[in-house]
Structures are given as structure tokens and as C-alpha cells.
Amino acid sequence: MAKTINKEVDAVIIGVGWSGGILAAELTKAGMKVVGLERGQDRNTEDWMKDHDELRYAIRYEMFQNVARETWTLRHNLKETALPFRQLGSFLPGTDVGGAGVHWNGQTWRFHPWDFTTRSSTIARYGANAIPANSTIQDWGITYEQMEPYYDKFEYMAGIAGKAGNIKGQTIPGGNTFEGPRSREYPVPPMKMSRSLTVFQQAAKSLGYHVFPGPSANLPQPYTNPDGITRGQCTYCGFCERFGCEVGAKASANVTVLPVAQKTGNFELRTGANVFQIKHDGKRATSVLYHDAQGQVQEQPARIVIVTSYVFNNVRLLLLSKMGTPYDPTTGKGVVGKNYAYQNGGAGAAGYFEDRDFQPYMGAGALSQVLDDFNADNFDHSGLGFLGGGSIASGTSGARPIQSLPTPATVPSWGPEWKAAIRKYKNSAISAGIQGGVFAYRDYFLDLDPTYKDQFGLPLMRITFDWEPNERKFAAYIAPKLKALIEATGAKQVAASGKLAPHYDSVPYQSTHNTGGAIMGSSPADSVVNNYLQMWDFDNVFVVGACNFPQNAGFNPTGTVGALAYRAADGIVNKYKQHPGSLV
Ligand SMILES: Cc1cc2nc3c(=O)[nH]c(=O)nc-3n(C[C@H](O)[C@H](O)[C@H](O)COP(=O)(O)OP(=O)(O)OC[C@H]3O[C@@H](n4cnc5c(N)ncnc54)[C@H](O)[C@@H]3O)c2cc1C
Ligand code: SF4
């Protein structure tokens, strides 16, 4: 096969979203020559100024992975034959520069200290028998205290708006009093409240819950970050999720870290570059192979290879390149693909007022009020029959005209009755939902599909996953509490549900918070990367993203993904560059 071989660089980055963008900025600031390979096209704020076209972006998925070219297959257990996703549904990975971090909502969390030590903390409090027998949850090999400086760095770079609940161990009312200690306050104060959030906040307080504003990457006021990047404020246009931000108020790699990398003169971004293999000699990676925009094969030699192409693509590239030992669920041995997990959105409640106008069309992706009383190990699980939990949020993300037409469950989903109901209720509904953590289980993992292939004839990523009793029990437990919360708002018609589908269903959108497959840990026997996100088996390869989470938490992932990217950059710039080799 004819191919072009490019000049060797210090580092090549595969996938230029949040993780790749942060690494590009940090490495180039340190004087390293870096090439970023992104399979999508370049995007900037002007692209998103065209229109708020809901059909184009939100329904026809303008900026998402094209499943006609590369998709995933799914089965629910080891005995089934997996079948391909023919359409996008349950999750929406991004394509183009900035990745899914362009069309995300911007809800930007730190995980709890408990999330990093789930296994050992559970055993210490409830005993080893409390952990489901088929669960493979494990500690991360890093603590919250070690992560704190990297969280701080991400939040100050992105300009996260919020209210601290714990600074250096001192509890601060009005913030999340359950959070781990922060070194300082958020860089930007919280967003403005919407009408429905004011009502929700009062209801939550009346029930004794610790409600607080959700931390947001949608800037409520102009902000200049430590890199000198200035961004303007959010207009509360309500077209955050699935759209790029036309004013640059929503933090993305495109408007924060990538301009910094470009300015150094050390960064070369190549778009239309679809990486399909990392070449190596069994101990070190030597280069990556990709199809360029013309379909020609190019080779990019590099001293360091950084894999930041999102959970599925990261794991798939390792497997296609025969790097690390693939996980085998029958023996429990091997690591690549291990501990795939998803997120539990199986409970929610909604209420409808007769006489209120909440003006829900004014909103932003992360504009929310949240309570954390039932997340992680923030409540006593003794006798409940499940572990973990989830955050509860009511949001005003912006009621778009096609997809945001709430009606009570008793109303048919079409016809004159439905039309009358959407007229009546579109501005007067209030709701709350969960983001529940999901444990890792022995039989749920990622591997290469034996049957289905992508446009280049390479095996697709196969997902084996289903819901387990631990997560079902949490959804059932929390539903009456959600109902009580919405009832306390004074809504007239209130309905709640707390049941996960009989099997994980790939059709309706649920969350793009997929995790695992290249997990971090303290030993090569049970993890792919060490706590600098460096592969145990290849010390010049760093794999970064939510693929590093050993199990999933009850929050959105990107605050932690960003922190991990800063951790990897710290390891490369301040350690590996001087002394190549294992960092732990
Ligand atoms: C609709 C939506 C809303 C979301 N809202 C939130 C939220 O509010 N809060 C939150 O924390 N998270 C949210 N997320 C998740 C968040 O977007 C991701 O956690 C984050 O973008 C992950 O960053 P990443 O760098 O790991 O991957 P990505 O941002 O997905 O970037 C990966 C990049 O790699 C490229 N790539 C893939 N394969 C290859 C290849 N083979 N060769 C070259 N390039 C490749 C892709 O095109 C992409 O640009 C949301 C996601 C979606 C889809
Ligand atoms: S709501 Fe705010 S942050 Fe979101 S796209 Fe509109 S202006 Fe940007």
C-alpha cells in the first residue's frame, strides 16, 4: 500500500476533542512539537452562527459520528450475537475538532472522594459481602486529593460557574456541601436562576435537601482564563446541547485550549485524518497510520502517542493495534475492554401547572439546581440492597420548538388532544431526573466484533452490556423521592417513574457518558494505564478519557476527563520529557 511517511514529532495526538485539546495546549506550551490528527473537519464559532436549526443539528445529527461509516454492535450477554446500531440513539459521540465537547451541555462536575475508592470504601463501611458477586468495581489508583489540583486547573481554564460547598474542609452553605474539599472558590459565580428553578429550589429546601446551582461551563459573565483567553457571556439562547455556541460562551476545546496550542507555533492540526492503527515493536509505539481526507494512507512517526479519541475509539484502536491484553470475561483475565459501564437515568418525575409561564425557552445546557443527598455514599446504604446512587437535577436547558414539548402522561402522543396539550403545557412544566452511577460487572465489556466491519473493513467495537439489580434498585428507591420533590413545587398533575427498561435499549437517547475499557489502576494485572494515564505495557503511549474510569459515577464525566488530561500532561511535561520511562 503506497503511503506518505511524515517527519517524526515529539507527540502525536489521536482525536482532538477536550482531552486531545488540553494535551495539545500543555505540551506545545512546554516547547514540544505536536501533531493532532482529527478525523472530522475543523469547526469554529462562525460555523455555529448560521442558525438555530434544530432539524439539522439536533435531529439529523450534523456534528455526530456517522454510523454509516463506523458504528458499534450491541448484545446484552455473552450468548447473544451482537447487532449493529444502524442509527444514532442511546449516545451521541462527536466528530470534528472539539469532539462532543462542542455540542455538550457544559455541566461540569468533580467526582466525590468516594468515587475514587469505591471498592475499598464500600468494604470498609458495609463489608465485602455488600458488593454484588458479579461486580468488578475497583479503586482508581488515584485519590480525590491527588486529583484536586487538576480539577482546579480544568475549572479555571474553562471558566466554570458555580458555588463551592467545601473549601479546604470548611463547609459553605449554598454550595454542594457533600463535595470533596476544594482549594478555592469556582472562578465564576453561578448562572442566573430561571423561573422554574426558583420554584424547584424552594421545594427542595422545604423538604430539607441541600440544593445548589449546578456547575456550568456556560459563562454567565465575561471571563479571562490563566492562558489569557477571554470569552463573552451566555445569552441563555437555549441551543446548547447538540449545538455549538455561536458566541463562544460555552467552553469547548475550540475556544479555550486549541487557540493556545496554535499560538505556540508548535502545533499542527490535520483534519480528515482517520487513524486506524498504532504501530509498535511490542514495547514502544513508533508511529500511527491514518487515512487522510483523500483516502490515502499516511504514517506519522512520534516519540509519544496520545490516544484521545473517546471511549469506544480509544479501546478499539488499542485492540486493532494489538496493544495490551484483551479482557476475557470467562477467565476474568486481561484488561483492554474491561469494565465498560453506562449511566442510570432510570428515574424521573414531572409536574404540570395550570397557571404558570416559566419561559423555558430561555435557558442554557448547564442551568440547573441540583441535590446530591442521594449520590455516591452520601447516605447510609445499610439494608437498602444497593450501593452508590446519583445526583438529582432540575434543569432549564432551553425548550427547543421540536423536541421540547412536554405533556402529561395521560395525553396521547399525536392528534388534536396532543396539540391542545402542548399549547397548554409547553411553558408550564417542571421536572427532575437522575444521573445514576453504574457499577462495573464481569460480563460487561468492549471487544472487537467478530462479524461486522467499518468502511475500511476493520472490525467494529462490540458492546456487551445490560442493566443489573443494583442500578434497578436505586431507580426504584429514588422515584418516590423525585415525586415528592415535584409535588412540593405545587404542580397539579405529577407523575414519576423509577423503572429501567427490561434490557438496555440502544434506541432512545439516554446519555453519552460511556465509561471504561482502558481503565486506570495501581497494577497492570487489573488496569490498562497507571495513574498518569500511561499504558503499563507501552510507556510512550498515553490513553485519556472516560475510558479510564473503572466504574461510572453519578455525575457527568467531563470535569474528570479534563482533570485526567491535565494529569497526563503533567506527567509528560514534568517527568517523562526529562526521564522517558514508566512514571510510577
Ligand atoms: C449531547 C451531549 C451532551 C453532553 N453534555 C455533557 C455535560 O453537560 N457534561 C459533561 O460532563 N459531559 C457531557 N457530555 C459528554 C462530553 O461531551 C464528553 O465527556 C467529552 O466530550 C469527552 O471528551 P474526549 O476528549 O474524551 O472525547 P471527544 O470530545 O468525543 O473527542 C474525541 C475526538 O476524537 C475524534 N476521533 C475519534 N476517532 C478517531 C480516529 N480514529 N482518528 C482520528 N480522530 C478520531 C472524534 O472525531 C472527536 O473529535 C455530553 C455529550 C453529548 C454528546
Ligand atoms: S445557552 Fe449560552 S452557552 Fe449555550 S449555546 Fe446559547 S449562548 Fe452559548
Side-chain angles (χ1 to χ4, degrees):
M1 194 190 312
K3 72 177 174 218
T4 306
I5 302 182
N6 297 283
K7 196 168 154 239
E8 189 181 49
V9 289
D10 292 322
V12 63
I13 294 176
I14 306 170
V16 185
W18 259 134
S19 312
I22 289 169
L23 277 141
E26 294 303 296
L27 270 52
T28 54
K29 279 196 280 182
M32 296 172 77
K33 294 281 179 201
V34 177
V35 164
L37 300 175
E38 165 55 48
R39 70 175 169 192
Q41 53 182 301
D42 204 357
R43 295 271 191 188
N44 58 40
T45 311
E46 276 153 36
D47 282 318
W48 307 312
M49 280 193 170
K50 287 174 195 143
D51 43 53
H52 282 172
D53 186 339
E54 193 175 358
L55 195 60
R56 174 177 172 179
Y57 288 100
I59 295 167
R60 293 185 178 149
Y61 305 125
E62 167 92 2
M63 292 189 280
F64 302 92
Q65 182 164 322
N66 183 342
V67 292
R69 293 185 185 155
E70 182 191 316
T71 185
W72 316 269
T73 67
L74 170 70
R75 59 180 181 165
H76 293 113
N77 58 57
L78 300 179
K79 291 193 191 121
E80 281 181 3
T81 301
L83 294 172
F85 288 55
R86 302 273 182 198
Q87 294 181 336
L88 283 170
S90 172
F91 45 78
L92 299 171
T95 292
D96 299 337
V97 172
V102 165
H103 47 73
W104 70 321
N105 282 305
Q107 299 161 17
T108 311
W109 294 98
R110 296 178 173 204
F111 288 174
H112 289 286
W114 179 86
D115 289 314
F116 295 99
T117 57
T118 306
R119 186 172 194 91
S120 54
S121 296
T122 298
I123 292 172
R125 186 167 180 186
Y126 305 105
N129 289 341
I131 298 175
N134 60 344
S135 174
T136 48
I137 53 168
Q138 61 188 57
D139 293 358
W140 289 49
I142 196 164
T143 61
Y144 171 82
E145 288 69 30
Q146 288 173 292
M147 287 288 286
E148 203 285 332
Y150 306 109
Y151 274 127
D152 181 81
K153 206 154 185 206
F154 182 73
E155 288 166 357
Y156 272 72
M157 174 276 294
I160 303 306
K163 171 85 192 126
N166 179 344
I167 297 182
K168 296 181 180 162
Q170 195 185 342
T171 299
I172 300 168
N176 182 6
T177 50
F178 293 101
E179 70 180 358
R182 305 171 162 270
S183 49
R184 51 181 170 165
E185 184 50 273
Y186 280 95
V188 180
M191 303 192 80
K192 288 182 200 299
M193 290 277 272
S194 70
R195 290 183 176 182
S196 70
L197 292 187
T198 308
V199 173
F200 180 82
Q201 185 197 48
Q202 282 161 1
K205 279 186 181 164
S206 75
L207 296 178
Y209 293 132
H210 304 82
V211 66
F212 61 94
S216 167
N218 321 134
L219 266 183
Q221 63 186 43
Y223 174 68
T224 302
N225 78 9
D227 287 318
I229 298 283
T230 299
R231 290 162 35 229
Q233 73 192 64
C234 171
T235 62
Y236 297 83
C237 77
F239 283 76
C240 253
E241 188 189 280
R242 306 188 184 195
F243 298 80
C245 177
E246 67 210 40
V247 294
K250 177 169 63 172
S252 67
N254 315 50
V255 295
T256 54
V257 284
L258 288 174
V260 173
Q262 300 283 15
K263 204 172 159 197
T264 63
N266 293 327
F267 183 54
E268 185 192 343
L269 173 65
R270 288 184 209 147
T271 52
N274 196 341
V275 178
F276 61 91
Q277 194 187 330
I278 302 166
K279 283 178 77 175
H280 60 86
D281 62 10
K283 287 200 165 119
R284 290 177 60 75
T286 49
S287 65
V288 305
L289 294 178
Y290 66 95
H291 289 105
D292 66 19
Q294 283 70 44
Q296 302 299 311
V297 175
Q298 295 213 27
E299 181 166 355
Q300 179 57 60
R303 283 178 275 281
I304 299 174
V305 172
I306 297 170
V307 190
T308 50
S309 55
Y310 193 64
V311 175
F312 299 116
N313 311 305
N314 288 352
V315 176
R316 183 166 177 255
L317 270 176
L318 297 186
L319 291 170
L320 288 175
S321 309
K322 302 196 180 337
M323 299 175 79
T325 312
Y327 174 66
D328 178 351
T330 56
T331 62
K333 300 258 168 21
V335 283
V336 181
K338 185 183 168 185
N339 281 21
Y340 169 76
Y342 196 43
Q343 207 150 41
N344 177 3
Y352 299 85
F353 289 78
E354 300 291 323
D355 53 353
R356 301 294 286 268
D357 178 3
F358 291 132
Q359 300 180 336
Y361 39 85
M362 286 192 290
L367 179 58
S368 58
Q369 285 284 314
V370 184
L371 46 114
D372 211 20
D373 302 57
F374 298 102
N375 198 358
D377 201 29
N378 298 344
F379 57 112
D380 186 0
H381 290 70
S382 307
L384 295 179
F386 68 87
L387 295 167
S391 50
I392 295 175
S394 183
T396 310
S397 55
R400 299 191 308 255
I402 302 177
Q403 289 190 312
S404 309
L405 299 170
T407 54
T410 48
V411 173
S413 54
W414 59 281
E417 228 182 302
W418 173 71
K419 287 182 185 165
I422 59 173
R423 265 197 299 275
K424 183 166 177 189
Y425 293 115
K426 72 181 167 46
N427 292 341
S428 65
I430 198 163
S431 64
I434 60 163
Q435 278 205 87
V438 172
F439 272 16
Y441 296 94
R442 184 176 166 132
D443 284 355
Y444 301 151
F445 69 111
L446 303 173
D447 68 350
L448 295 177
D449 192 278
T451 315
Y452 294 96
K453 300 194 167 29
D454 71 3
Q455 61 174 334
F456 301 111
L458 297 168
L460 295 178
M461 184 93 284
R462 177 169 67 175
I463 303 165
T464 306
F465 180 74
D466 208 348
W467 301 118
E468 285 289 310
N470 189 68
E471 286 66 40
R472 290 185 189 284
K473 285 180 192 165
F474 173 64
Y477 168 83
I478 205 70
K481 298 189 185 329
L482 293 174
K483 186 160 187 260
L485 258 168
I486 296 299
E487 280 168 350
T489 65
K492 289 289 167 272
Q493 299 185 53
V494 178
S497 61
K499 221 172 168 187
L500 280 159
H503 292 286
Y504 163 62
D505 182 356
S506 63
V507 176
Y509 183 71
Q510 289 150 73
S511 150
T512 311
H513 305 162
N514 313 78
T515 60
I519 64 176
M520 61 194 287
S522 47
S523 150
D526 59 18
S527 54
V528 175
V529 293
N530 64 29
N531 70 18
Y532 281 99
L533 301 319
Q534 177 186 40
M535 280 190 85
W536 292 107
D537 296 347
F538 295 84
D539 64 33
N540 70 335
V541 177
F542 292 77
V543 187
V544 186
C547 60
N548 305 135
F549 302 0
Q551 52 277 327
N552 210 345
F555 281 137
N556 309 60
T558 310
T560 303
V561 169
L564 291 177
Y566 277 112
R567 168 85 180 170
D570 182 17
I572 294 170
V573 170
N574 297 317
K575 291 181 173 231
Y576 188 90
K577 198 160 153 262
Q578 290 78 16
H579 305 289
S582 175
L583 296 182
V584 296

